[in-house]
Amino acid sequence: MPALSTLTAALRRPLAGRWGRPPRRDSGLLPGTPVHLTTSDDVDLAGVWVPGPPGLTLVVSHGMAHSIEQPATRRVIDGFARHGSVLAVDFRGHGGSGGRSSVGRDEPLDTDAAVALARSRSADPVVLVGFSMGGAVALIQAVLGEHRPDAVVAVSPPSRWFIRQSPAMRRVHWILEHPLGPLAARWIGLRLSGPWRQVPPSPLEVIGSIAVPVLLVQGDADDYFTPDDGRLLATAAGGRAELWVEPRMRHAEAGTSAALIDRIARWAADATAGQQAPPPAQGRAGRCRN
């Protein structure tokens, strides 16, 4: 058993990353309409719909231990809302949503339900924008989901599971694997499920099957993943994914500047220009409870 000081330090070190602080509970400060939906495996999710200019709908998928109420995620939502309508949903085990986080295994069902709801609310093309874990989920959902987006953007995604090359990711794995990890996770607002019994497909394994335009964004100052993750994904996509390696950019939502948000939105508009969004599908992906 480690000394108390060592144990306390181990609990605090994982909280020092970009996502390492408890979520702010400022319900009502985020503009837009609250939404509630249920996934195909009956997990209740909470989110927000922010109307914007016509022509584009963006579904924002946050990173691990983030939520739609956290300032960095809210800033991203507000930035994209200048370019189109935005739907952002808390992943299971995060924020106002129910269930427990599987850290990428089950979360594609959450994104599938969000894309289905976006289709039901807008006739515009739907672009899925995911950050970190949400970026990995976006790439997987674009292949395996029932309700596919018209384009997908992954910002700071891992290329594969079990990355431990960076100190930040070793701290993440401490939370996921140490017996005291779930306690530390609750402190940062994350409710974890049990360990994986079967490893789900990784972004690297699925990206080559994505049939819609793909944008990968990776910062060269990211302390979780390196530009090599973006390059591996771009290579696996077989030339069908565009890669931006951003100078001095750090990780995910916190590292995404207002100028980069605008550039991503312009890419999304250009990538879907002339596309006709498919009609909303019915059935298993999820249902809105508004």
Side-chain angles (χ1 to χ4, degrees):
M1 181 71 181
L4 181 59
S5 60
T6 303
L7 181 58
T8 302
L11 282 168
R12 291 187 180 278
R13 276 196 301 272
L15 310 178
R18 302 284 79 81
W19 46 272
R21 60 183 63 185
R24 289 175 51 180
R25 298 296 182 185
D26 321 4
S27 296
L29 294 184
L30 181 67
T33 303
V35 297
H36 300 276
L37 56 157
T38 304
T39 66
S40 60
D41 62 341
D42 293 322
V43 176
D44 293 335
L45 305 178
V48 64
W49 172 262
V50 184
L56 191 65
T57 296
L58 300 114
V59 174
V60 173
S61 295
H62 62 73
M64 177 181 167
H66 270 256
S67 77
I68 60 174
E69 290 188 340
Q70 284 196 343
T73 306
R74 285 169 35 182
R75 181 175 53 80
V76 167
I77 294 168
D78 290 343
F80 282 128
R82 294 195 297 267
H83 300 271
S85 295
V86 178
L87 174 65
V89 176
D90 282 338
F91 280 124
R92 61 185 66 204
H94 291 74
S97 292
R100 292 181 179 274
S101 174
S102 67
V103 197
R105 180 194 62 204
D106 301 329
E107 282 74 9
L109 298 176
D110 304 348
T111 302
D112 209 39
V115 172
L117 178 57
R119 292 250 186 250
S120 73
R121 289 187 168 227
S122 172
D124 294 328
V126 172
V127 178
L128 181 52
V129 185
F131 294 83
S132 191
M133 181 191 79
V137 169
L139 295 172
I140 293 166
Q141 190 276 338
V143 174
L144 302 180
E146 183 176 349
H147 302 262
R148 311 289 173 84
D150 299 298
V152 59
V153 181
V155 182
S156 305
S159 59
R160 59 205 185 281
W161 308 125
F162 308 112
I163 292 175
R164 301 173 190 266
Q165 283 88 336
S166 65
M169 283 306 297
R170 289 194 287 273
R171 293 193 291 267
V172 170
H173 280 284
W174 185 93
I175 283 184
L176 299 179
E177 296 170 356
H178 195 279
L180 290 173
L183 177 63
R186 288 301 293 253
W187 195 90
I188 58 172
L190 175 63
R191 305 179 300 280
L192 289 172
S193 66
W196 292 345
R197 289 186 173 86
Q198 183 175 355
V199 178
S202 71
L204 196 60
E205 293 172 299
V206 303
I207 192 169
S209 299
I210 297 178
V212 299
V214 178
L215 173 63
L216 304 167
V217 182
Q218 179 63 55
D220 68 3
D222 191 322
D223 50 357
Y224 286 79
F225 311 119
T226 72
D228 285 342
D229 284 279
R231 295 184 186 107
L232 284 170
L233 287 167
T235 299
R240 294 191 298 274
E242 186 171 345
L243 171 64
W244 297 352
V245 176
E246 296 296 304
R248 299 178 298 281
M249 177 187 169
R250 298 185 71 85
H251 188 63
E253 294 100 327
T256 302
S257 67
L260 180 55
I261 291 170
D262 291 342
R263 285 172 54 211
I264 290 171
R266 289 195 295 270
W267 178 92
D270 291 343
T272 58
Q275 289 189 23
Q276 184 174 0
Q282 302 295 322
R284 297 176 301 167
R287 52 194 182 275
C288 181
R289 297 185 286 108
N290 278 3

